[in-house]
Amino acid sequence: MRDTPESCTTLKQLSRGVLDRRQPCRPASDASSTGRGCLSTGGKQDTATTAPPLSYRRTVDRGDVHRWAVSEVFLTDYADLSADTYLAAAQLPPAHYYFGDHTGPAADRPDSMLLLECCRQFATCIAHRGLGVARDSAFHVTEWTLALTADTPLPPYYRPRELNVKAAVTRSQVRSGSVRAARYVLELSLDGAFLGRCDISARYSPAAEADLVRCYHRKSAPPLSGSLPAVPPGTPVPPAEVARRDPANVALADARHVADGVSAVLAVPSGHRTHFDHPQDHYTAMILMEAARQAALLAAGTGVRITGYQSRFARFAELDAPVRVAAVRHTCDEVAVRFRQDGIVVSEIAVGVAEEH
């Protein structure tokens, strides 16, 4: 269904800015594969323009970021600078029932999950507005890396913070005149200070094609998230053990410490208003990222702060079979988290951690 994911830039490289932002075109047997300098975008000029002022007064169209609820849209403005460079503004709310529901070191720093969501929304918006990907296309994240540089707590804030993001599309693949894959490199700044970098690779499939391939691999139509139980089976992890306050935001159950780390089962309630803002037919990349964050805290302790994520998504995590989670702290600054379903690895996520002093 997808090409084999390309190797990730390491978290340390990404945080230092060691990143090839203009990669050469890559040949492909069934698609025209281009760097963004090679890709025609309907006559858009490839010359940089002066950065326009961005607004924080209203959100972008929720359809451009794949949300049903306006309250779940954090992107407030979007601008094309050139054929491969874009700007966005996002508002980070001072309170949110899921984003911001943290204890420990995460409570006084920008929420890594919220930053991931802002980056996801921006990349999705670029795909639709900048690359012309159809609204009904299926989106498949293949790789996702976030490296945060901030190592000091932020002062308390009672007004929304203003996030600025600059993105470059460093690789695209075109087939039959439509963009089928893209890689986005994003730089984040908060209150004028550089915050970190994000790298997202995604593939896009026309809706009819995606449905056919999906059913072929499953041999049956996948169920929707509404069919999940309101209370997942198993014994949920206590919220405090994954630095959460609200039990509804716990994503793991039946956790136990084993010889080399922690094992658990993915458990997300069907009515979660962020994870399932609209019906899904699989566990999304954002859900797996949150589960990896929680598994890393179980393995490393809630006293660590999260410094980033480096992930690969090999296949869909289906809703109708248990997803087993294993976390091992290989080094002092990284926890390796692996997701298996029916014995097959569906995703691997390395979570960066740092001890608080």
Side-chain angles (χ1 to χ4, degrees):
M1 189 169 184
R2 297 190 287 271
D3 293 343
T4 301
E6 303 148 338
S7 59
C8 286
T9 304
T10 67
L11 283 173
K12 290 183 178 178
Q13 286 178 320
L14 194 59
S15 63
R16 289 196 300 264
V18 184
L19 186 63
D20 178 9
R21 299 177 62 82
R22 304 301 301 168
Q23 299 195 16
C25 298
R26 185 181 67 175
S29 58
D30 61 345
S32 59
S33 177
T34 71
R36 287 293 293 129
C38 308
L39 177 64
S40 171
T41 54
K44 188 194 301 180
Q45 296 298 313
D46 193 25
T47 57
T49 59
T50 303
L54 298 179
S55 171
Y56 299 90
R57 296 182 63 85
R58 59 186 61 83
T59 64
V60 300
D61 187 325
R62 59 190 175 89
D64 285 335
V65 297
H66 295 184
R67 282 301 191 187
W68 276 11
V70 174
S71 60
E72 295 295 317
V73 179
F74 304 107
L75 211 67
T76 62
D77 207 353
Y78 164 98
D80 293 9
L81 288 186
S82 68
D84 61 358
T85 308
Y86 305 83
L87 291 179
Q91 188 184 83
L92 307 185
H96 190 276
Y97 71 93
Y98 169 65
F99 299 112
D101 171 43
H102 294 288
T103 61
D108 55 8
R109 289 183 171 86
D111 179 7
S112 64
M113 298 308 300
L114 177 56
L115 296 178
L116 284 170
E117 174 62 12
C118 289
C119 291
R120 184 202 67 79
Q121 292 189 10
F122 189 16
T124 303
C125 193
I126 293 173
H128 289 310
R129 295 191 188 183
L131 305 184
V133 176
R135 282 280 187 97
D136 63 350
S137 296
F139 280 50
H140 317 292
V141 175
T142 56
E143 295 182 356
W144 198 347
T145 300
L146 175 69
L148 301 175
T149 58
D151 58 1
T152 56
L154 295 169
Y157 66 105
Y158 306 99
R159 297 182 60 184
R161 291 191 186 277
E162 296 178 348
L163 181 72
N164 287 280
V165 190
K166 183 177 182 180
V169 179
T170 62
R171 184 183 294 114
S172 297
Q173 291 182 352
V174 181
R175 185 188 308 162
S176 302
S178 300
V179 173
R180 293 299 189 95
R183 177 174 179 243
Y184 307 87
V185 178
L186 304 95
E187 296 180 345
L188 296 79
S189 60
L190 183 65
D191 299 334
F194 181 72
L195 187 59
R197 289 183 171 86
C198 183
D199 191 321
I200 304 176
S201 293
R203 297 185 63 81
Y204 312 111
S205 304
E209 175 185 308
D211 289 342
L212 287 174
V213 174
R214 188 95 164 85
C215 290
Y216 173 80
H217 284 282
R218 281 185 46 92
K219 308 302 181 186
S220 65
L224 293 178
S225 50
S227 66
L228 291 173
V231 179
T235 303
V237 172
E241 293 186 11
V242 290
R244 286 288 188 184
R245 295 185 182 88
D246 189 344
N249 291 327
V250 173
L252 300 174
D254 295 338
R256 59 191 180 94
H257 289 273
V258 295
D260 57 350
V262 173
S263 69
V265 177
L266 187 64
V268 180
S270 61
H272 197 281
R273 292 169 290 168
T274 293
H275 292 320
F276 298 126
D277 162 79
H278 56 282
Q280 299 284 355
D281 69 355
H282 64 285
Y283 290 109
T284 65
M286 278 293 292
I287 291 174
L288 297 182
M289 288 289 212
E290 170 63 14
R293 186 195 70 83
Q294 295 187 14
L297 294 180
L298 286 176
T302 55
V304 299
R305 61 182 174 86
I306 302 299
T307 62
Y309 306 86
Q310 182 175 319
S311 61
R312 293 186 184 186
F313 302 94
R315 56 189 298 163
F316 284 110
E318 303 288 354
L319 299 174
D320 52 357
V323 179
R324 305 196 179 279
V325 187
V328 178
R329 190 173 186 178
H330 286 312
T331 66
C332 63
D333 59 0
E334 188 174 274
V335 178
V337 184
R338 181 170 289 173
F339 297 83
R340 284 189 175 92
Q341 194 164 49
D342 295 326
I344 300 172
V345 174
V346 297
S347 179
E348 295 178 294
I349 302 176
V351 182
V353 296
E355 299 287 347
E356 284 292 278
H357 301 295

